[in-house]
Amino acid sequence: MKKIIIITGGSRGIGAAIARLAAVDYAVCISYIHNRSAADAVVASINQKNGLAIAVQANVAVEDDVLRLFEHVDSSLGCVTALVNNAGILEKKARVEDMNSERISRIFSTNVVGSFICSREAVRRMSTRHGGNGGAIVNISSRAARLGAPGEYVDYAASKAAIDTLTVGLAKEVATEGIRVNAVSPGIIYTEIHASGGDPGRAERVKNTIPMARAGYPEEVAKAVLWLLSEDASYTTGACIDVAGGR
């Protein structure tokens, strides 16, 4: 029987790349908010190669949606054994002095609260303390957490710093319960998130500031995630791997 993975925000970019790579060893569930056609395309690409994938509409910022997501996986695939907290949002570039509380709340509701609630539901199912068989969680952080994203996305950067703390704290909390918790910290990656921030050409524009002089690809991040989920990383927990070209 295949292991079961939930990847939040798995309809595009890094999440979709993780889903396609994970499908070799896992039955895959991806969540999405609005773009059903993109989610269906990811699912079809996996199922056409004899994998098993489903998509569930769920906004991780809404607790009831998260509960429904996990309950749907319980009933249709089985008990989750791996979780990737990938869902994250970015708003238009702005200085902190121009940000309002609604914007900041939106960022933190998805990027931080969503990851906490998804992790909670995964732990309740995976933990040997609750009769589970263990598992692994990987959180998608960002190099912005340590660089700060001044003049652009300080709110996003702060939310990802919270993800780093969640990773370390939860890893220690469940270390004796069969669950490993790690993070991957991407740098500048060719994904649609730059367009969400109002700067679709950002990866090309800033690539020469990266020591490797190029942006990264979603598959390069996905491979790090899959390693952390695998038994090859059996003694790794509370770690954060930079996939950022030296940035």
Side-chain angles (χ1 to χ4, degrees):
M1 182 178 293
K2 282 191 173 184
K3 298 172 286 185
I4 297 163
I5 187 170
I6 295 174
I7 303 159
T8 64
S11 65
R12 62 179 188 169
I14 291 170
I18 295 167
R20 292 187 178 102
L21 284 180
V24 175
D25 297 311
Y26 293 87
V28 174
C29 174
I30 62 171
S31 73
Y32 67 97
I33 298 181
H34 303 300
N35 197 340
R36 179 174 179 174
S37 62
D40 286 345
V42 173
V43 168
S45 70
I46 291 170
N47 291 337
Q48 286 167 5
K49 294 181 179 179
N50 297 317
L52 174 59
I54 61 172
V56 177
Q57 191 282 328
N59 181 351
V60 298
V62 178
E63 186 169 11
D64 285 347
D65 279 18
V66 173
L67 296 176
R68 180 171 49 78
L69 168 65
F70 276 80
E71 289 165 1
H72 186 88
V73 171
D74 289 340
S75 62
S76 60
L77 297 178
C79 188
V80 63
T81 53
L83 167 68
V84 180
N85 282 313
N86 170 75
I89 62 169
L90 185 71
E91 300 231 353
K92 302 294 184 185
K93 289 192 295 184
R95 289 170 57 92
V96 170
E97 66 197 53
D98 297 320
M99 294 178 186
N100 59 34
S101 61
E102 288 81 7
R103 168 188 167 129
I104 297 166
S105 293
R106 284 193 298 271
I107 294 288
F108 274 72
S109 292
T110 295
N111 297 5
V112 181
V113 177
S115 294
F116 263 86
I117 300 304
C118 287
S119 295
R120 182 195 74 191
E121 291 304 306
V123 168
R124 287 176 174 177
R125 290 161 171 80
M126 295 176 184
S127 173
T128 55
R129 183 167 172 259
H130 298 297
N133 296 315
I137 297 171
V138 174
N139 298 317
I140 303 301
S141 180
S142 171
R143 281 293 290 153
R146 280 166 281 172
L147 298 174
E152 295 184 319
Y153 317 110
V154 174
D155 49 353
Y156 174 83
S159 75
K160 291 301 187 177
I163 291 302
D164 290 350
T165 301
L166 167 63
T167 300
V168 173
L170 184 58
K172 293 177 178 178
E173 191 169 284
V174 298
T176 60
E177 299 172 23
I179 304 172
R180 295 182 301 102
V181 185
N182 293 288
V184 171
S185 183
I188 304 296
I189 307 296
Y190 288 114
T191 72
E192 296 174 19
I193 198 168
H194 303 295
S196 299
D199 190 0
R202 185 169 184 258
E204 279 296 303
R205 178 171 59 79
V206 305
K207 68 180 182 181
N208 289 329
T209 68
I210 301 166
M212 290 183 70
R214 70 170 179 89
Y217 293 92
E219 292 75 17
E220 292 176 300
V221 180
K223 288 175 183 177
V225 171
L226 267 294
W227 180 78
L228 286 170
L229 292 175
S230 76
E231 283 303 309
D232 289 341
S234 59
Y235 196 53
T236 302
T237 198
C240 183
I241 297 177
D242 290 344
V243 183
R247 186 168 185 263

